[in-house]
Amino acid sequence: MLSAVKFLSMLSKQTYSRCRPLYLETGAMDFFLPARTLYQSAGFDYCRPFADYQEDPNSMFMTKVLR
């Protein structure tokens, strides 16, 4: 089974040539804290809503600049 850390690393490498930066949306509830912590450890930072997303108290938005 592929670990979440390895998956994020692979995703960043695969996406690098196609999309900069990389964005994600995740839950804002405490249940999602482990996921947000993982994303931060992989280099993601919090950002404003992107694309067609609107501010939502149930969502958090993150981005990572791929280099």
Side-chain angles (χ1 to χ4, degrees), residues 10-64:
M10 287 176 51
L11 179 64
S12 293
K13 289 175 184 173
Q14 290 293 320
T15 307
Y16 174 77
S17 63
R18 293 180 221 122
C19 177
R20 286 179 230 153
L22 184 62
Y23 292 94
L24 64 83
E25 180 273 338
T26 189
M29 292 72 75
D30 289 343
F31 176 81
F32 294 98
L33 181 59
R36 294 191 309 266
T37 301
L38 172 68
Y39 300 143
Q40 283 184 295
S41 73
F44 284 83
D45 294 310
Y46 290 98
C47 66
R48 301 197 42 81
F50 54 90
D52 293 331
Y53 284 105
Q54 302 293 319
E55 291 285 349
D56 181 337
N58 296 310
S59 294
M60 306 278 306
F61 305 94
M62 302 181 86
T63 187
K64 178 180 179 178

